[in-house]
Amino acid sequence: MREVPEPELTCWEPPTYTVDANGKVVGGAPGPIHNWGRWGDSDQRGTANLLTAERAVEAAALVRTGKHFALGLPIGGLAAPSHRGEPLHLFQIATGDAILTGAGTDGADDYLVMALQGTTQLDGLGHVGRGNLMYNGFWSGLVTAGTGARRLGVHHLATGLVGRGVVLDVARAQGVPWLEPGFPITAALLDGTAEAQGVQVRPGDILFVRTGTVTHWYERFGSRTAPFQRLGDETARRDLLDGPEAGLAWDTVAWLHDHDVAVLGVDNLAVECRPAQPGHTWIDFHVAALRDLGLPLAEVLDLDGLATDCAQDGVWEGQCAVSVLPVVGAVGSPINPLFLK
Amino acid sequence: MREVPEPELTCWEPPTYTVDANGKVVGGAPGPIHNWGRWGDSDQRGTANLLTAERAVEAAALVRTGKHFALGLPIGGLAAPSHRGEPLHLFQIATGDAILTGAGTDGADDYLVMALQGTTQLDGLGHVGRGNLMYNGFWSGLVTAGTGARRLGVHHLATGLVGRGVVLDVARAQGVPWLEPGFPITAALLDGTAEAQGVQVRPGDILFVRTGTVTHWYERFGSRTAPFQRLGDETARRDLLDGPEAGLAWDTVAWLHDHDVAVLGVDNLAVECRPAQPGHTWIDFHVAALRDLGLPLAEVLDLDGLATDCAQDGVWEGQCAVSVLPVVGAVGSPINPLFLK
Amino acid sequence: MREVPEPELTCWEPPTYTVDANGKVVGGAPGPIHNWGRWGDSDQRGTANLLTAERAVEAAALVRTGKHFALGLPIGGLAAPSHRGEPLHLFQIATGDAILTGAGTDGADDYLVMALQGTTQLDGLGHVGRGNLMYNGFWSGLVTAGTGARRLGVHHLATGLVGRGVVLDVARAQGVPWLEPGFPITAALLDGTAEAQGVQVRPGDILFVRTGTVTHWYERFGSRTAPFQRLGDETARRDLLDGPEAGLAWDTVAWLHDHDVAVLGVDNLAVECRPAQPGHTWIDFHVAALRDLGLPLAEVLDLDGLATDCAQDGVWEGQCAVSVLPVVGAVGSPINPLFLK
Amino acid sequence: MREVPEPELTCWEPPTYTVDANGKVVGGAPGPIHNWGRWGDSDQRGTANLLTAERAVEAAALVRTGKHFALGLPIGGLAAPSHRGEPLHLFQIATGDAILTGAGTDGADDYLVMALQGTTQLDGLGHVGRGNLMYNGFWSGLVTAGTGARRLGVHHLATGLVGRGVVLDVARAQGVPWLEPGFPITAALLDGTAEAQGVQVRPGDILFVRTGTVTHWYERFGSRTAPFQRLGDETARRDLLDGPEAGLAWDTVAWLHDHDVAVLGVDNLAVECRPAQPGHTWIDFHVAALRDLGLPLAEVLDLDGLATDCAQDGVWEGQCAVSVLPVVGAVGSPINPLFLK
């Protein structure tokens, strides 16, 4: 057999901290901007707590035309962006099989093998930590392959994320179909976009920021129905996936906290700007949002249809319902958010 | 190697029909109660067409308290009913791995392998046909393993099923925690329950019928956190899964059509009563609902929390949003419907 | 959503050891009977080292009739024992699809989703450790979801396990079709069986011990072609899977070491006797075999056809070839060992 | 939701043939060079029937040094060629988890999700047909998603493919490290190579033909340990996978039949030369080999180590054992053939 390189090893020393019976790292501390303890020491839902019943009532009142928009990308059928390989859809039995087998009823069952982060999806609060700390001081070691997420599982968000949805179409406000890869969306730009659109971001909002990245993707690959691995122009595809990406700048962490955003969704792969801005590394934003704020992040959204409608009628708000699959102990879930106007 | 029995074969003769360029069986006809052609010859959404924008606005107005209920069963974590084996949740990397590998950021990615009919789910219109016919006359042969559902894929329902939700708690109206397995819920009983509850079923409703089957399930197995295959009381479990089941009687097909129900959901495994009533075979109801009416069926729902709340405040209606994963060419989707009051 | 019980947590303190740059726990020590260091400090193959070229030549000379036996159970098609759920076999495209799609060539592709420990399989040396130690002193922490087995991956055994195979049919020697569940096979009984059969166990042998457990299994369930979850007699099945099981007694650890067995295979689920003998806990044998001896274990073998042939011709030895899938960093592999006489 | 293009449909007419109770198309006929009926009308093993016991004895006598070679590519760990996406290896529990959970024993279980044609593998006789005919006249419609391969399942080959192995290193005989993509290996070239090597191909041989394609692959990508989708040079990779490929020319079909080759293995993706030679289309060779001859094809082999050894000692034959996973009703199996000299 051909030789396979051995993974490199380094010396290992055990951590110096201990973990208490509540799963908290003793002495663990968040970054400067955070929500730890805000909803109690045992809270596992973070800013989803901002989605109160009162706000749900107000949000429902925003439904005026009955138009609704689904914000998930198709799974299969079109080339789609993913770092993790496309979902695999297979049949255990196909409806047409009955024609060949003589079964009296034609029935089908199908299976899906998917990375829970492999298409339009929500990052749960167990998805990213740093310094062995996750949201609210929970220990990263609570998430193992064998146990799943013993705390902060995404099923804690599956009771329904419902509230006012707001769209900030930064690309459109800049007059471009998509922001250039690497473009950092600053807090000032969010404010400017909101002002230009005549909409306010309020506490408890489910906020969608449009970069145009998915637009860009489909502009180049959208007419192709072959899956990723069959595309000819792979180099270009890799540029889109692994190269720079327009996204939120570091200073939006404070802005999101100040505005008490409940859920943040972006039409790019990883919400934050890549490469990171000077003084930061990629994933810093994830750490600040997920670990410190407890802010669930929705990624790979398709905001094009919704944003076009908002631009036409000038209404950038609506009722939003995000249904999370209650996979117990998971760190993410595929989603297909519904936005009603 | 141990000998494996060969599958039995029989002679095969080709079908006698042809299929036109629209995928329709030439000369194909539905059962007596049907919606074929009602929304056009090319329609692939069936009664989901009844979920109009106007009704969506009316439904939003039903949100008065902001209370909301998620109707999906947990995936993992608890024993759960399924004919198809439980979803398999696996980690590609766990957040806690960083403690052992020294990675600077703690991050996790997880995968799900699931039967799309393996938990709370929606049967799409490609799921069941008969006589090689599916909804609106489409040919069953359009659904093969290699092509997926070339028509009637569940993604056509993924634009969002939103409207008025209504609960008919038949078990509670009968004064029992659950209907006996095999109990047929007739049209008259649906009417009686609606009257007893003081609620009306209207065209375009997303209707939920509670049998108490899932309640029964959890009464017996709910405190067990081990997955199915680890349960000791397997025989009892099989009784619940494969034995008789309370569900809708045959005469509700006409009732559902008369009331123009848009989506039907039940808290049992297969919506319809098992065994079938005299003169019918099991799955007849599926054929009538999916193939003839084009009525999507939601199965394995957990209506307990919602129904308890409705019984307390006497309000059996609300706004309902069913988010379907847009798996292109699939015949079903896991769902976690949200019901707001 | 129905409440899911939270996993219980306990306080955690970090380990007190360190790990060196070779992945070894500093100060780690094996049990009293072991092979650590015997084939060098960096060895990852354990007793597979005993399968020398010289012995491979001798083994080939044992092929006298050309009869050969495959020792794997069928995957699907028959009820089969497993703790982990049966493999899932699905089609991406079926040969018959072409009849329905008009494709010019009829072709099929299929997928398998399987627990690498879910059928006839080989436990690699990364499969079980204790005290955070694995074979040769490697640290258990080298095996994470994210990295796979950074050392002791089963691919190190995939160069081919080839040598003399020997069968000890303990059940037959005891005059029974199968040993009673819980029956401990002692070293003395292995010796007695070898003597009764007139065969010797030699250094570097691939040793198969027959308990009749799989025979018992098929006696009860073999004619059923439905998969596990469809079986009616689940309680009986659970007895077979989770109840007591005939297997190797604790004192065979020393015997296996004395005889320098290279690979050990048994026709039961877990090689060792369950429940464990007094003074031991279940899995102790696994720890001694895999961690201390570095002895790969083959499980869920089907020895019936081979043993019957051996009983008929009185020849209990042959050439054996075990082909391991080279899954890099895996801790096990499905196998279908070939035994030639 | 973004619109997904509908698959194009065409009119469909039913086949004009019937199928008898043995699964045979009435009136079906093979190509001019074939083995239909040679081993009986119900035969499902094709040329594997040539692997007789007598030949197995002769093959064992070829083991002279005890050197052995495993011909499978690593699964994971290295970039590897595949049309179907790489196997997915995931952990249900990792050995190192015990360090974080305090479990007394450190244990791991892992899963594999793999295309059975996704790495070094054997095409079974149900893999490819044409004209709705498979080997020995079996109907393609016997292979559906719901039934698997009702005949010609790969498990019929899982009793063990054992015999004399012969290597024809065409690339080396041509004095090149690899044959140029698109290079057709003719019957004359096989004869010339055999003569140059001083080896004869005999009836019942397991024949390996080396093109150097895998050598070429690793020359360009072998030092990369990232999986496919992470490679930067995707365009080059696609050239290797989907572009022209050196392989067997059409006239070798007759040659393989004349020589009664039992199993054919090649170190490329699809055995046959791509593009096909004038007058043929790609996959014609597959049809002739699998459907007409009943000749199982082993693909994506790694012959480099073996061929180098053969060139050094001038011995191009040995004993070969191909262990097939007994996946009932499958059309292929991963393999890791063992070759002993």
Side-chain angles (χ1 to χ4, degrees):
Chain A
M1 207 183 82
R2 193 168 291 266
E3 195 174 354
V4 178
E6 296 278 10
E8 285 185 25
L9 301 178
T10 56
C11 296
W12 182 84
E13 297 197 357
T16 53
Y17 56 78
T18 60
V19 179
D20 69 24
N22 296 315
K24 303 292 188 79
V25 174
V26 176
I33 302 172
H34 73 90
N35 286 316
W36 290 19
R38 178 172 172 186
W39 297 284
D41 279 350
S42 61
D43 177 57
Q44 301 183 55
R45 291 169 45 81
T47 52
N49 286 291
L50 297 166
L51 297 165
T52 61
E54 185 177 48
R55 287 171 178 151
V57 174
E58 293 169 1
L62 300 174
V63 180
R64 296 176 189 119
T65 65
K67 282 191 290 190
H68 49 276
F69 301 88
L71 309 182
L73 285 181
I75 298 176
L78 284 174
S82 169
H83 284 93
R84 291 165 180 101
E86 291 187 289
L88 182 64
H89 177 221
L90 298 168
F91 279 78
Q92 188 171 53
I93 181 169
T95 320
D97 287 355
I99 301 167
L100 306 176
T101 63
T105 297
D106 311 357
D109 274 1
D110 44 1
Y111 275 73
L112 197 64
V113 180
M114 77 183 308
L116 290 173
Q117 293 77 27
T119 180
T120 304
Q121 54 98 18
L122 189 79
D123 283 352
L125 301 183
H127 181 52
V128 169
R130 182 174 285 166
N132 302 344
L133 290 165
M134 301 187 295
Y135 168 69
N136 219 3
F138 287 109
W139 179 44
S140 293
L142 299 182
V143 186
T144 74
T147 61
R150 288 180 279 176
R151 292 294 184 275
L152 303 179
V154 81
H155 61 289
H156 291 289
L157 304 176
T159 51
L161 305 175
V162 179
R164 176 179 182 249
V166 171
V167 183
L168 294 184
D169 187 346
V170 180
R172 195 175 305 257
Q174 297 292 304
V176 295
W178 53 81
L179 300 171
E180 281 308 301
F183 183 95
I185 299 173
T186 60
L189 192 51
L190 291 179
D191 282 331
T193 303
E195 191 174 342
Q197 293 181 179
V199 70
Q200 280 188 314
V201 177
R202 301 185 199 139
D205 276 355
I206 299 174
L207 174 66
F208 298 103
V209 177
R210 183 169 170 276
T211 65
T213 300
V214 161
T215 319
H216 186 192
W217 176 264
Y218 280 106
E219 175 75 18
R220 292 186 65 171
F221 299 111
S223 62
R224 306 194 187 190
T225 56
F228 263 12
Q229 58 268 33
R230 312 275 161 77
L231 293 179
D233 192 0
E234 293 289 329
T235 304
R237 185 177 69 83
R238 297 313 311 177
D239 285 352
L240 292 186
L241 280 184
D242 285 339
E245 179 172 84
L248 295 204
W250 176 253
D251 74 351
T252 60
V253 173
W255 187 95
L256 291 161
H257 187 237
D258 290 344
H259 287 75
D260 261 347
V261 168
V263 178
L264 172 65
V266 182
D267 65 334
N268 64 3
L269 278 170
V271 173
E272 64 189 283
C273 179
R274 288 184 304 180
Q277 297 168 281
H280 288 280
T281 59
W282 191 78
I283 217 70
D284 277 3
F285 181 96
H286 266 70
V287 172
L290 293 169
R291 187 193 71 169
D292 293 346
L293 298 185
L295 172 65
L297 301 175
E299 298 172 336
V300 201
L301 293 164
D302 183 357
L303 302 173
D304 286 4
L306 172 59
T308 298
D309 184 84
C310 294
Q312 285 170 349
D313 67 8
V315 178
W316 298 89
E317 64 181 359
Q319 183 195 27
C320 185
V322 184
S323 173
V324 168
L325 290 188
V327 188
V328 176
V331 300
S333 169
I335 52 172
N336 185 15
L338 301 178
F339 195 107
L340 285 79
K341 293 179 61 175
Chain B
M1 205 183 83
R2 194 168 291 265
E3 195 174 356
V4 178
E6 296 277 10
E8 285 186 24
L9 301 179
T10 56
C11 296
W12 183 83
E13 298 196 358
T16 54
Y17 56 78
T18 59
V19 180
D20 69 23
N22 296 315
K24 303 292 189 80
V25 175
V26 175
I33 303 172
H34 73 91
N35 285 317
W36 291 20
R38 180 172 171 186
W39 297 285
D41 280 350
S42 60
D43 178 56
Q44 301 185 53
R45 292 169 42 84
T47 53
N49 286 291
L50 297 165
L51 298 165
T52 61
E54 184 176 48
R55 286 171 178 150
V57 174
E58 293 170 2
L62 300 173
V63 180
R64 298 177 187 114
T65 66
K67 282 191 290 192
H68 49 276
F69 302 88
L71 308 182
L73 285 180
I75 298 176
L78 283 175
S82 169
H83 284 93
R84 293 169 179 97
E86 292 186 287
L88 182 64
H89 177 220
L90 298 168
F91 280 78
Q92 188 171 54
I93 181 168
T95 321
D97 287 356
I99 301 167
L100 306 176
T101 62
T105 297
D106 311 357
D109 275 0
D110 43 2
Y111 275 73
L112 197 63
V113 179
M114 78 182 310
L116 289 174
Q117 292 77 27
T119 181
T120 305
Q121 54 98 17
L122 188 79
D123 283 352
L125 300 184
H127 180 53
V128 169
R130 183 174 284 166
N132 301 346
L133 290 165
M134 302 188 295
Y135 169 69
N136 219 3
F138 286 109
W139 179 44
S140 294
L142 299 182
V143 186
T144 74
T147 60
R150 288 179 279 175
R151 290 293 183 277
L152 303 178
V154 82
H155 61 288
H156 290 289
L157 305 175
T159 51
L161 304 175
V162 179
R164 178 181 180 244
V166 171
V167 183
L168 294 184
D169 187 345
V170 180
R172 194 175 306 256
Q174 296 292 301
V176 295
W178 54 80
L179 300 172
E180 282 308 301
F183 184 94
I185 299 173
T186 60
L189 193 50
L190 291 180
D191 282 331
T193 302
E195 191 176 341
Q197 293 180 181
V199 70
Q200 280 186 314
V201 177
R202 300 185 200 140
D205 275 355
I206 298 173
L207 175 66
F208 298 103
V209 177
R210 183 170 170 274
T211 65
T213 300
V214 160
T215 320
H216 187 193
W217 177 265
Y218 280 107
E219 176 74 18
R220 292 184 66 171
F221 299 111
S223 62
R224 305 193 187 192
T225 55
F228 264 11
Q229 57 267 34
R230 311 275 161 78
L231 293 179
D233 193 0
E234 293 288 330
T235 304
R237 185 176 69 82
R238 297 315 309 178
D239 285 352
L240 292 186
L241 280 184
D242 286 339
E245 179 171 84
L248 294 205
W250 177 252
D251 74 350
T252 59
V253 173
W255 187 95
L256 291 161
H257 187 236
D258 290 344
H259 287 75
D260 261 347
V261 168
V263 178
L264 172 65
V266 183
D267 65 333
N268 64 4
L269 279 170
V271 173
E272 64 188 284
C273 179
R274 287 184 306 178
Q277 296 169 281
H280 287 279
T281 59
W282 191 79
I283 217 71
D284 276 4
F285 180 96
H286 266 70
V287 172
L290 293 168
R291 187 193 69 169
D292 293 345
L293 298 185
L295 172 65
L297 302 175
E299 297 173 336
V300 202
L301 293 164
D302 183 356
L303 302 174
D304 285 6
L306 171 59
T308 298
D309 185 83
C310 294
Q312 285 170 351
D313 67 8
V315 178
W316 298 89
E317 63 180 0
Q319 183 197 28
C320 184
V322 183
S323 172
V324 168
L325 290 187
V327 188
V328 177
V331 300
S333 169
I335 52 173
N336 185 16
L338 301 179
F339 194 108
L340 285 81
K341 292 178 61 176
Chain C
M1 206 183 81
R2 194 167 291 265
E3 194 174 356
V4 178
E6 295 277 11
E8 286 186 23
L9 301 179
T10 56
C11 297
W12 182 84
E13 298 197 356
T16 54
Y17 56 78
T18 59
V19 179
D20 69 23
N22 296 314
K24 303 291 189 78
V25 175
V26 176
I33 303 172
H34 73 90
N35 286 317
W36 290 20
R38 179 172 170 186
W39 297 285
D41 279 351
S42 60
D43 177 57
Q44 300 185 54
R45 291 169 44 83
T47 52
N49 286 291
L50 296 166
L51 297 165
T52 61
E54 183 176 49
R55 285 170 178 151
V57 174
E58 293 169 3
L62 299 174
V63 181
R64 296 176 189 117
T65 65
K67 283 191 290 190
H68 49 275
F69 302 87
L71 308 182
L73 284 181
I75 298 176
L78 283 174
S82 170
H83 284 94
R84 293 168 179 99
E86 292 188 287
L88 182 65
H89 177 220
L90 298 169
F91 279 78
Q92 189 171 51
I93 181 169
T95 321
D97 287 356
I99 301 168
L100 306 176
T101 62
T105 296
D106 311 357
D109 275 0
D110 43 1
Y111 275 73
L112 197 63
V113 180
M114 77 183 309
L116 290 173
Q117 293 77 27
T119 181
T120 305
Q121 53 98 17
L122 189 79
D123 283 353
L125 300 183
H127 181 53
V128 169
R130 183 174 284 166
N132 302 346
L133 290 165
M134 301 187 294
Y135 168 69
N136 219 3
F138 287 109
W139 180 44
S140 293
L142 299 182
V143 186
T144 74
T147 60
R150 288 180 279 176
R151 292 293 183 275
L152 302 179
V154 81
H155 61 288
H156 291 290
L157 304 176
T159 50
L161 304 175
V162 179
R164 177 181 179 245
V166 171
V167 183
L168 294 183
D169 187 344
V170 180
R172 195 176 305 256
Q174 295 292 301
V176 295
W178 53 81
L179 300 172
E180 282 308 302
F183 184 94
I185 299 173
T186 60
L189 193 50
L190 291 179
D191 283 331
T193 302
E195 190 174 343
Q197 293 181 180
V199 71
Q200 280 187 314
V201 177
R202 300 185 200 140
D205 276 355
I206 298 173
L207 176 65
F208 297 103
V209 177
R210 185 170 170 274
T211 65
T213 299
V214 161
T215 320
H216 187 193
W217 177 265
Y218 279 107
E219 176 74 19
R220 292 184 67 171
F221 299 110
S223 62
R224 306 193 187 192
T225 55
F228 264 11
Q229 58 268 35
R230 312 274 161 78
L231 293 179
D233 192 1
E234 293 289 331
T235 304
R237 186 177 68 82
R238 297 314 310 176
D239 285 352
L240 291 186
L241 280 185
D242 285 340
E245 179 171 83
L248 294 205
W250 176 253
D251 73 352
T252 59
V253 172
W255 187 95
L256 291 161
H257 188 237
D258 291 344
H259 286 76
D260 260 346
V261 168
V263 178
L264 173 65
V266 182
D267 65 333
N268 65 4
L269 279 169
V271 173
E272 64 189 283
C273 180
R274 288 184 305 180
Q277 296 169 282
H280 287 279
T281 59
W282 191 78
I283 218 71
D284 276 4
F285 180 96
H286 266 70
V287 173
L290 293 169
R291 186 194 71 169
D292 294 345
L293 298 185
L295 172 64
L297 301 176
E299 297 173 336
V300 202
L301 293 164
D302 183 356
L303 302 173
D304 285 5
L306 172 60
T308 298
D309 184 83
C310 294
Q312 285 170 350
D313 68 7
V315 178
W316 299 89
E317 64 180 359
Q319 183 197 26
C320 185
V322 183
S323 172
V324 168
L325 290 188
V327 188
V328 176
V331 300
S333 169
I335 52 172
N336 185 15
L338 301 178
F339 194 107
L340 285 81
K341 292 178 62 176
Chain D
M1 206 184 82
R2 193 168 291 265
E3 195 174 355
V4 178
E6 296 277 10
E8 286 185 24
L9 301 179
T10 57
C11 296
W12 182 84
E13 298 197 356
T16 53
Y17 56 78
T18 60
V19 179
D20 69 23
N22 296 315
K24 303 293 188 78
V25 175
V26 176
I33 302 172
H34 73 91
N35 286 316
W36 290 22
R38 178 171 172 186
W39 296 285
D41 279 351
S42 60
D43 177 57
Q44 301 184 54
R45 292 170 43 83
T47 53
N49 286 291
L50 297 166
L51 297 166
T52 63
E54 185 176 47
R55 285 171 177 150
V57 174
E58 293 170 2
L62 300 174
V63 180
R64 296 179 188 114
T65 64
K67 282 190 290 192
H68 49 276
F69 302 88
L71 308 182
L73 284 181
I75 299 176
L78 283 175
S82 169
H83 284 93
R84 291 164 180 103
E86 291 188 288
L88 182 63
H89 177 220
L90 298 168
F91 280 78
Q92 187 171 54
I93 181 169
T95 320
D97 287 356
I99 301 167
L100 306 176
T101 63
T105 297
D106 311 358
D109 274 0
D110 44 1
Y111 275 73
L112 196 63
V113 180
M114 77 183 310
L116 290 173
Q117 293 76 27
T119 179
T120 304
Q121 55 97 18
L122 188 79
D123 282 353
L125 301 184
H127 181 52
V128 169
R130 182 175 286 166
N132 301 345
L133 290 165
M134 302 188 294
Y135 169 68
N136 219 2
F138 286 109
W139 179 44
S140 294
L142 299 183
V143 186
T144 73
T147 60
R150 288 181 279 175
R151 291 294 183 275
L152 303 179
V154 81
H155 61 289
H156 290 290
L157 304 176
T159 50
L161 304 175
V162 178
R164 177 178 180 247
V166 171
V167 183
L168 295 184
D169 187 345
V170 180
R172 194 175 306 256
Q174 296 293 301
V176 294
W178 53 80
L179 300 172
E180 281 308 302
F183 183 93
I185 299 174
T186 60
L189 192 51
L190 291 179
D191 282 330
T193 303
E195 190 174 341
Q197 292 180 181
V199 70
Q200 282 186 313
V201 178
R202 300 184 200 140
D205 276 355
I206 299 173
L207 175 65
F208 297 104
V209 176
R210 185 170 169 274
T211 64
T213 300
V214 161
T215 319
H216 186 193
W217 176 265
Y218 280 107
E219 175 75 17
R220 293 185 63 170
F221 298 112
S223 62
R224 306 194 186 190
T225 56
F228 263 12
Q229 57 267 35
R230 312 274 162 78
L231 293 179
D233 192 0
E234 293 289 330
T235 304
R237 185 177 70 81
R238 297 313 310 177
D239 286 350
L240 291 186
L241 280 184
D242 286 340
E245 178 172 83
L248 295 205
W250 176 253
D251 73 351
T252 59
V253 173
W255 187 95
L256 291 161
H257 188 237
D258 290 344
H259 287 76
D260 260 347
V261 168
V263 179
L264 172 65
V266 182
D267 65 333
N268 65 4
L269 278 170
V271 173
E272 63 189 285
C273 179
R274 287 185 305 180
Q277 296 169 281
H280 288 278
T281 59
W282 190 79
I283 216 71
D284 277 3
F285 181 97
H286 267 70
V287 173
L290 293 168
R291 186 193 71 167
D292 293 345
L293 298 184
L295 172 65
L297 302 175
E299 298 173 337
V300 201
L301 293 164
D302 183 356
L303 301 173
D304 285 5
L306 171 59
T308 298
D309 184 83
C310 294
Q312 284 169 350
D313 68 7
V315 178
W316 298 89
E317 63 181 359
Q319 183 196 27
C320 184
V322 183
S323 173
V324 168
L325 290 187
V327 187
V328 177
V331 300
S333 169
I335 52 172
N336 186 14
L338 301 179
F339 195 107
L340 285 81
K341 293 178 60 177

